[in-house]
Amino acid sequence: MVTLFGRLWASACSSNLGDGITLTALPLIALAAGASAGEVALVTTAATLAWPLCGLHAGWIVDRLSPQVLLTLANGTRGLALLGLTLAIAIDAFVVPAVMTTALAYGVAETLVDTSLIAGIPRTVTPGQLTGANAKVEATISVANELAGPPLAGFLLGAAGLAAAAVGSGLYALAAVAGLSLLLAMRQRSIPAASSDSDAEAGGDEEPPPPGVRDGLRYLWADRLQRELTVLTAAMSLIWGAWTATFVLYAVAPGPLGLDTVAYGWVLAAMAVGGILAASLVERLQTRISTTALLFIDTVGTIGLVLPAGLGAPLPVIVAGVVFAGAGSTVWRVIVAVIRQQATPLPLLGRVYSASRVISWGALPLGSALAAVAVEFLDIRTVFIIASAAASAICVWFAFRLRSLHTRVSELEANTETEISIQPNS
């Protein structure tokens, strides 16, 4: 029998494979359609702009309508957007505007899908299973979004941009079907999620969330630990946004690396290797290394993302940096997700998560927009050197805050272990 978490996970699998294809294909489709370097970089800005604009509302909507409803509707919307791009490519008209429109639609839907996924995990597993469930989801993101998606997109683009858009549309449709399956299954369940049954669901018995779009932002900012981790994530997101927007210009011919689209997809997929290993080891690593030390590794990994390209390193060194960055990023996302789920009341979780994304992921379009301007006036390697300097400053900043963060994380973990130990068996 498929568990509730299994249905949630199935939706995540299909949608993340669609993400991997879509995010890789959109800038390459724009490049092939004759877009300028700045326009190609702005595709990333369009895809991430929704977080600062719509993120707070996404959290409120998820808390009101429930995660499973939004997984169905948002993934269905992304499927339709890509279907429209498929038609534009087929008739060879308005391709670049269609790419930008699809990127915007993708971004708005992504705010709802990501928030729904994080808010849905505590509704489908017990508190003691949170780390494992989050790690499984992050491993899925690494495999589908980062390992399988980019090379598959490169392969499909080698045949035709139309094929990549059509396959992405179909995958989002499957994700919507899985979300609908979860919705129907949860309506048939009445066992509270706090029970020891991993299939438990609390959706039917929860008190309705209090009104207020900004409640999540207020709660987040009042929680010192979550606030500081969110600001750190935003700082690193500036670097990731710049890299995501410009690496295609560096890697794909006529850029310095001179790769074709298939090879470019495999370079992006290398990031998933580190992510998969990190997701499989994060629970064991936490028993040997402090949580804050693991988080610090990610700040170092961000340097590895941009510095090799800035120095003009050979392809193997660039790939090694991408792998290291992928590992650190996965560890960060798993740990911070668990901290947020442990520290936030369930009826507020959607709004607190989306508030954190407004700040942290809201920095992605800013980073990509700054990079889009920079590549019009500076050499691409110079842009990566500037990003490397910023990443190094973030690493030093985290090092100075390490002791304070460690104390607060340890207190939260101790409180959570106490709560789990006193839960009655059912």
Side-chain angles (χ1 to χ4, degrees):
M1 180 179 179
V2 180
T3 65
L4 293 181
F5 178 75
R7 297 170 195 266
L8 183 73
W9 178 70
S11 181
C13 286
S14 185
S15 65
N16 273 283
L17 184 55
D19 290 349
I21 292 173
T22 300
L23 292 177
T24 304
L26 288 181
L28 292 171
I29 291 172
L31 189 63
S36 69
E39 288 174 331
V40 172
L42 283 175
V43 173
T44 298
T45 303
T48 54
L49 190 61
W51 275 112
L53 295 181
C54 310
L56 290 178
H57 294 282
W60 178 83
I61 292 170
V62 169
D63 284 338
R64 282 292 183 186
L65 297 183
S66 82
Q68 53 274 19
V69 171
L70 270 301
L71 286 172
T72 303
L73 296 178
N75 280 314
T77 299
R78 292 198 288 192
L80 291 175
L82 276 168
L83 182 60
L85 176 59
T86 303
L87 295 175
I89 297 171
I91 64 175
D92 193 22
F94 307 107
V95 175
V96 173
V99 167
M100 295 296 182
T101 301
T102 301
L104 286 169
Y106 163 87
V108 173
E110 186 72 356
T111 65
L112 297 171
V113 171
D114 278 7
T115 306
S116 297
L117 186 59
I118 295 299
I121 290 174
R123 290 168 164 84
T124 57
V125 300
T126 61
Q129 297 170 322
L130 283 175
T131 298
N134 280 282
K136 188 173 184 178
V137 168
E138 287 300 328
T140 298
I141 292 172
S142 294
V143 172
N145 194 333
E146 299 168 2
L147 180 62
L152 180 56
F155 172 78
L156 292 170
L157 286 164
L162 183 148
V167 170
S169 178
L171 287 167
Y172 286 132
L174 290 176
V177 171
L180 179 61
S181 172
L182 176 63
L183 172 63
L184 296 176
M186 292 180 78
R187 284 184 173 176
Q188 296 173 357
R189 301 295 182 95
S190 59
I191 304 173
S195 74
S196 59
D197 183 356
S198 64
D199 287 345
E201 153 60 15
D205 296 333
E206 293 173 8
E207 296 181 3
V213 173
R214 296 181 178 86
D215 287 345
L217 186 59
R218 295 190 188 99
Y219 189 93
L220 171 71
W221 211 247
D223 187 322
R224 186 178 176 186
L225 175 58
Q226 292 198 66
R227 180 179 71 235
E228 193 155 356
L229 289 174
T230 299
V231 173
L232 279 164
T233 306
M236 288 187 289
S237 291
L238 286 171
I239 313 302
W240 281 80
W243 180 86
T244 303
T246 56
F247 186 67
V248 62
L249 301 171
Y250 182 84
V252 176
L257 285 183
L259 304 178
D260 60 23
T261 58
V262 176
Y264 170 70
W266 281 112
V267 171
L268 295 186
M271 184 176 292
V273 175
I276 293 166
L277 290 174
S280 64
L281 295 174
V282 64
E283 285 186 281
R284 280 176 283 180
L285 288 173
Q286 277 192 290
T287 64
R288 295 171 173 82
I289 306 173
S290 72
T291 297
T292 44
L294 288 172
L295 291 175
F296 179 72
I297 292 172
D298 181 41
T299 64
V300 179
T302 304
I303 299 174
L305 182 70
V306 289
L307 184 58
L311 297 176
L315 181 60
V317 176
I318 290 176
V319 171
V322 168
V323 171
F324 184 35
S329 177
T330 295
V331 169
W332 183 281
R333 291 197 304 264
V334 170
I335 291 175
V336 172
V338 172
I339 288 173
R340 186 170 296 113
Q341 290 161 351
Q342 291 172 337
T344 306
L346 190 59
L348 268 173
L349 183 56
R351 278 167 287 175
V352 171
Y353 173 78
S354 65
S356 71
R357 282 294 182 95
V358 167
I359 299 169
S360 59
W361 281 45
L364 285 170
L366 177 58
S368 63
L370 290 172
V373 173
V375 294
E376 295 287 353
F377 301 99
L378 301 174
D379 177 76
I380 187 68
R381 284 179 55 186
T382 302
V383 174
F384 284 126
I385 287 293
I386 295 172
S388 300
S392 299
I394 294 167
C395 189
V396 172
W397 173 25
F398 190 96
F400 276 111
R401 301 298 301 150
L402 196 61
R403 185 186 295 270
S404 174
L405 288 169
H406 176 72
T407 299
R408 282 178 275 138
V409 169
S410 297
E411 290 173 354
L412 177 62
E413 291 174 340
N415 291 338
T416 302
E417 289 174 2
T418 300
E419 292 173 3
I420 292 173
S421 68
I422 64 175
Q423 284 181 1
N425 293 325
S426 57

